[in-house]
Each structure stands twice: as C-alpha cells, then as structure tokens.
Amino acid sequence: MDKKPRLRFAPSPTGGLHIGGVRTVLYNYLFAKQHGGDFVLRIEDTDQGRFVAGAEEYIYETLHWCGLEPDESPLKPGLFGPYRQSERKPLYRNYADQLIDRGLAYYAFDTPEELEHRRKTTPNFQYNVATRAGLRNSLTLTDQEVKILIEKGIPYTIRIRMPENEEIRFTDMIRGELVFQTSLVDDKVLLKADGMPTYHLAVVVDDFLMEITHVFRGEEWLSSAPVHILLWKHLYGEDKMPRWAHLPLILKPDGNGKLSKRDGDRLGFPVFAMDWTDPRNGEKTTGFKERGFLPEAFINFLALQGWNDGTEQEVFSLEELILKFSIDRVHKGGAKFNYEKAKWFNSEWIKKLPVTHYLPQVKASLEQQGISVKKDDQLKTVMELVRDRCSLLSDFAGQSAFFFRYPATIDLASVQPKWNEQKNLFFAELIRTYELIPRWEHEELERTFKEIAAVNEIKTGELMLPLRIMLVGQKSGPGVFHIAEVLGRKETFDRIRKGLQLLS
RNA sequence: GCCGCGUUGGUCAAUCGGUUAAGACGCAUCCCUUUCACGGAUGAAUGAGGGGUUCGAUUCCCCUACGCGGUACCA
C-alpha cells in the first residue's frame, strides 16, 4: 500500500444503528487499523426531511460501546472537516456547476409531481438517455429559456448526463470485475432543488476531499456504483479513485431478505446495537448491549458473519481481528442472522474474560432486582461459580440471586416424597457437627457431610438433593458445598433449619 | 418489468479441478458432574436443476430456476 489508507463510515443519522451497519463499521475499521490507516466517521445528513433528534449521538455511543473509535469525526475533527455533510453544503455546488459547464450534467426543471406522474403512467420509466429529450431540462430548452427560468427562481435539480452506449468497468475487492452499460443507468440527481447534494454527489466529493482510499459499503450501493465511478472519472480522474468493496447483506433468519428492525420485534431478538427510542413516536427498540451482550462478543459475532480466516478459529478479540481480517476472504453471498450463535459467542466471552470486566453490569442488574451487593469480592466469587451457566449478562441475576437472599420458592415436591425421620435427624446432626468445623470451606464441608452420612448409613445421594433444595430452592446451580461455603456458616444453618421446618 | 449481485447441511461455513466434502451453532444419544450447566465423545444432516470443458467437477463456462439488492429531488 503506497498511501496511508483512510476509510470511512458514512451513516445517515435517521435512527438506531442496525447490526449490518455495525458490521460495515467493523470491516472498515479492521482494514484501516491493520494497515496503519485512519478510520473516519462522516455524518451524511443531506436529507433535511429525515432529521431525527438524537440519532447522531446514538451513533457515537454505539461506536464507543463497540470499541470502534473513529480517528476523525464531527466530535474529533481532523484535517478534513467539517465532518457533517450539512456543514459542507457550499462545497458541492461548485462541482455540480463544473459538470454543467463541461456538458456532463444538466439542469432539470421537472417537478417531483410531474416525474411521479410519468413513473405512474409510463411503465419502466427512467430519467435517462431514452427519455431526457422529452423532459424539461437544459438539454431540451434553449440557453435563453434556461437562463430565464433560473432567474425567475424556478426550482431545478442538476442531473448527471449518462453517456450513451458506453461501459463502466471497475474492480470490486470482493466481487471482482464488474461491468455496467451506461445506457441502462439513469440520470441521477446530483444537486437537489434545495441546493443540497444527493448522496451520489456528496460521497464522491467528500471521499475525494477527505482523501478516502477504500470504500467498503453495503451491497445495496452496488447498483449506483457506476454513477459514482463516472463522477470520479469526470471530477478527479480514475487514478485518484478509492478502491471499492461491496459487502454482503445480513439477512433475516427466516425466509430471505435484508434483516430489519421488524424481524427483531417479530422473532424476539435485538437488531440494534443499543437501545433506541424513536423520538417521533416513543417506540423503543432493545439493543444487544441492554440484552446482556458483551461488546467483545458482539463484535466477534459480527466479524464472523460474512468473513472467516480460513482456519477453525472462531473466537477472536478485536486485536486478533485487526491482525487477521482480510477483505478478500469476505463472502459474496449474504448471511442469515443467527441469534443462537450470537449467544454462543457471548457465553464464550463470559467464560474467557475476567468476571471483574463485567461485574459492574451484573451488579447493576442485581440492584434492579432489589439486591444490593455490598462486597464486590463476594460477587466476584459468585460470578465465577455461575458464569458457565450464563450466556447473557442478564442471566447472572437469575443464577445468583439465591446467594444474596433466601430463595423465593422452595421446590419441596422433589424431596418431600422421600423425606423421613432418619433424614431429619441427619440434618440436625449435620448442623451440630458443622458448628464445630474449624475451616468453613467446601472440601471440608463435603468430607464431613459424607462421614455423617456413612455413620448414619444413608446414601449420600439421598441427602445431596435435600441440602440443595434447602439452600437454593431448586435443583440447579453450582456445587452445593461451594454454595454453602459462599453462604457462610450462619446463613447455611438458617436455611437448613428453615428447610427442616418446611419439610416436617 | 428492467439492471445488478448471489446460491455448499436447519444456520454460519472450509474447499481456490482429484478430500471418506472440514469445523462451529443448534439438535439427538452417551460420558462426566450424587443437581443443572460447563466439558468430553458419538450421531443425524450439505454442493438448486440442466447442459458443457476436462481423464476427473462443489470448484471453470453457459442456460434455467430461485433469492436478494437497486430502480426517489432517501441514504
């Protein structure tokens, strides 16, 4: 690579950031970092009608949570600002005019209503080589007429003039050589009547001005790529053009089609990275973060949705991804979103990371359930005991609540039928012996327990379940003596006594 | 409709002309654990269809089917 790579993510701030968007960020970021380049965040807010309050802040927060910090952004301007297209408005006009002067673009005076009418009445209507001669534009009007219309303040757009019968070729880093016939591409609007550029003009101008070297974007942009390529040729020369890669889509799990927010609502999994509340209707969409995902797992999962390193490794840290990512191993076909697999990645990361790494979140979720934990050390021990049975951070509260308060329900039904006086006596003796035990520690507790059982000639197996039920309330959980150790002498006795009472 | 891009188990996927077509998730069975989970073992399950090219195609080419994306003064 001769130049320092510069890649960008250019979202339109219109709502929550969807996992497809995060994956696009990720691939851009990984490539930039791998090659010692920069990752730029540019806000594409040229559509003033679609402004959504808070959407831009949400993007920053999401990127931050994911650990994908931009090197340059509206919040952290570099040498190529401003980083919001709405603030770059004056820049674009000049390029549009330049294209007009060179006959590569033209003024179009057709109103949106007129065009809509044409689209309704003419099947397959496109504003292109075939139809532009019959429409109201500077190609069909005389210079004098055009001048008058402009002077009178009649609204107009500037459209690119697609050449006739030419081929536009380019190399996509994922898909290889691509060819488009210019006659079949329509004359896209470059500058809107409000003076704002459309995406097509703005991307090209900004990517040039910001010295972007690689454009990785979603597959939905592939069909407009020829317009962008042509603009690059006209404006800056093909040699200046960034390299392109069109990323496969993330598809809905059932059926086909691009994954949408609705699929998440319908199937019960998150689609956005973080919670998003639409300010227009107050509608709330839950995110991976709030569902209990670790950013490490979320990123890991997303990276593997459309890419792999060719080995059997699946668990990658961000650092490893930076090292191993390669754009030419990105797939062409879309991947169906698999929530079960996402959770698997999370359980892997829960096991891999030190529990202290996510202890604050677990503590907060326990607090939400009215359990306030005083000693972090104790929580840490508990978390280490239960982490294997948690695939989401939000599972911890349910798995560990009984350590901190007496169980809400006691499953007596699973011990009652086989309960007898002999067992009753056993537990009474157990308490007496445990009172004298010097070290309150699980191995010691277990040994003592078994000794007493042997003396009383009761099978240990007959007694373990009752103990568990008394301490936990149910049949699951970590090793019962580990639990007793954490609970401590007094609490263990209290629970056994309470259990005995319930069983008698 | 038109243009473009895709298509290996239920899902994610390896393979870059020769393999018993990996591995993972999920599922099933078993082992471990005197519980549940973790872990371990085993198993069921895959090249859309049709033509070529080739000694040999999952792999290269063509056609068909299917799917998706685009077809806005949205990005």
Side-chain angles (χ1 to χ4, degrees), chain A residues 329-452:
Chain A
R329 287 197 65 88
V330 173
H331 301 147
K332 294 177 180 145
K336 285 188 186 178
F337 175 74
N338 184 345
Y339 186 55
E340 289 306 316
K341 190 73 185 255
K343 283 199 292 193
W344 177 79
F345 275 105
N346 208 53
S347 61
E348 288 298 307
W349 277 96
I350 282 177
K351 281 180 273 184
K352 189 178 157 99
L353 257 15
V355 294
T356 46
H357 188 90
Y358 48 85
L359 185 141
Q361 290 96 299
V362 171
K363 195 173 175 178
S365 73
L366 280 166
E367 263 157 24
Q368 272 185 358
Q369 303 208 2
I371 298 169
S372 72
V373 179
K374 280 138 208 118
K375 287 178 283 187
D376 280 5
D377 272 1
Q378 191 195 13
L379 213 209
K380 182 170 173 268
T381 310
V382 168
M383 284 171 68
E384 276 160 358
L385 244 28
V386 302
R387 73 194 322 187
D388 283 353
R389 37 184 47 81
C390 298
S391 63
L392 296 172
L393 255 26
S394 44
D395 293 337
F396 276 91
Q399 292 290 341
S400 54
F402 70 86
F403 280 102
F404 303 99
R405 68 172 173 214
Y406 191 74
T409 57
I410 301 289
D411 177 18
L412 289 175
S414 55
V415 285
Q416 196 102 65
K418 297 173 92 177
W419 189 251
N420 54 35
E421 184 53 20
Q422 197 191 10
K423 290 180 182 174
N424 206 1
L425 292 170
F426 168 85
F427 280 99
E429 186 181 346
L430 182 72
I431 290 180
R432 285 196 301 276
T433 315
Y434 272 2
E435 268 169 347
L436 304 170
I437 213 165
R439 277 176 42 247
W440 188 263
E441 172 275 328
H442 72 268
E443 281 177 358
E444 195 69 6
L445 296 176
E446 182 167 357
R447 221 198 65 233
T448 309
F449 186 93
K450 287 180 175 168
E451 274 172 18
I452 304 171

Side-chain angles (χ1 to χ4, degrees), chain A residues 22-300:
Chain A
V22 179
R23 196 197 51 182
T24 302
V25 176
L26 181 62
Y27 287 1
N28 274 282
Y29 180 90
L30 294 176
F31 187 91
K33 294 299 143 190
Q34 181 176 79
H35 296 99
D38 293 325
F39 170 60
V40 178
L41 176 68
R42 182 173 72 220
I43 300 293
E44 308 231 334
D45 54 353
T46 51
D47 186 357
Q48 296 169 328
R50 297 213 304 168
F51 173 81
V52 175
E56 192 181 314
E57 289 67 28
Y58 175 93
I59 290 167
Y60 302 138
E61 285 162 20
T62 300
L63 262 39
H64 179 72
W65 179 65
C66 293
L68 306 173
E69 298 288 358
D71 296 295
E72 296 165 27
S73 76
L75 295 183
K76 192 187 173 192
L79 302 172
F80 303 88
Y83 291 83
R84 255 180 226 108
Q85 286 184 333
S86 57
E87 294 166 16
R88 300 170 67 83
K89 187 175 173 184
L91 259 33
Y92 308 108
R93 173 87 219 189
N94 168 39
Y95 289 103
D97 288 342
Q98 189 189 320
L99 291 169
I100 293 215
D101 293 345
R102 292 161 59 200
L104 301 168
Y106 58 90
Y107 298 108
F109 298 93
D110 321 86
T111 65
E113 295 72 33
E114 282 166 4
L115 292 176
E116 195 169 328
H117 180 73
R118 291 295 286 253
R119 274 189 268 270
K120 271 189 191 140
T121 52
T122 318
N124 202 15
F125 173 79
Q126 280 195 303
Y127 207 121
N128 64 7
V129 196
T131 59
R132 64 184 168 226
L135 291 152
R136 290 214 313 149
N137 52 52
S138 57
L139 266 20
T140 57
L141 269 22
T142 64
D143 288 356
Q144 189 58 25
E145 288 169 321
V146 169
K147 206 178 156 208
I148 291 169
L149 285 171
I150 291 176
E151 275 166 7
K152 277 168 71 182
I154 302 298
Y156 62 87
T157 61
I158 294 179
R159 285 179 180 271
I160 189 169
R161 181 179 186 173
M162 290 304 291
E164 216 165 326
N165 300 319
E166 281 181 24
E167 281 182 345
I168 295 180
R169 297 172 176 277
F170 70 100
T171 306
D172 183 284
M173 293 174 85
I174 296 170
R175 289 152 212 278
E177 297 300 311
L178 263 19
V179 188
F180 290 82
Q181 306 298 322
T182 52
S183 309
L184 298 168
V185 178
D186 51 347
D187 292 350
K188 291 266 185 276
V189 170
L190 263 22
L191 206 73
K192 301 185 243 187
D194 64 2
M196 275 289 191
T198 58
Y199 172 82
H200 303 110
L201 210 216
V203 243
V204 172
V205 170
D206 288 343
D207 285 345
F208 170 74
L209 260 18
M210 294 185 170
E211 297 180 16
I212 298 302
T213 57
H214 300 260
V215 173
F216 297 175
R217 72 227 297 196
E219 188 186 327
E220 65 268 29
W221 293 111
L222 200 50
S223 358
S224 47
V227 177
H228 309 327
I229 309 279
L230 191 62
L231 247 17
W232 268 98
K233 282 188 189 173
H234 288 162
L235 258 16
Y236 313 113
E238 220 172 334
D239 53 319
K240 299 269 190 340
M241 191 168 78
R243 300 197 62 196
W244 308 90
H246 290 89
L247 273 21
L249 266 16
I250 294 181
L251 277 16
K252 57 185 73 189
D254 58 337
N256 291 294
K258 200 158 80 158
L259 180 70
S260 73
K261 188 181 88 60
R262 297 220 172 281
D263 299 314
D265 299 343
R266 186 169 56 84
L267 274 8
F269 55 74
V271 165
F272 287 169
M274 303 197 312
D275 276 5
W276 165 251
T277 305
D278 193 321
R280 293 166 297 191
N281 52 21
E283 203 179 302
K284 192 180 163 189
T285 313
T286 61
F288 278 84
K289 181 188 174 204
E290 290 79 2
R291 259 303 168 87
F293 278 83
L294 289 161
E296 289 83 353
F298 181 58
I299 287 304
N300 190 169

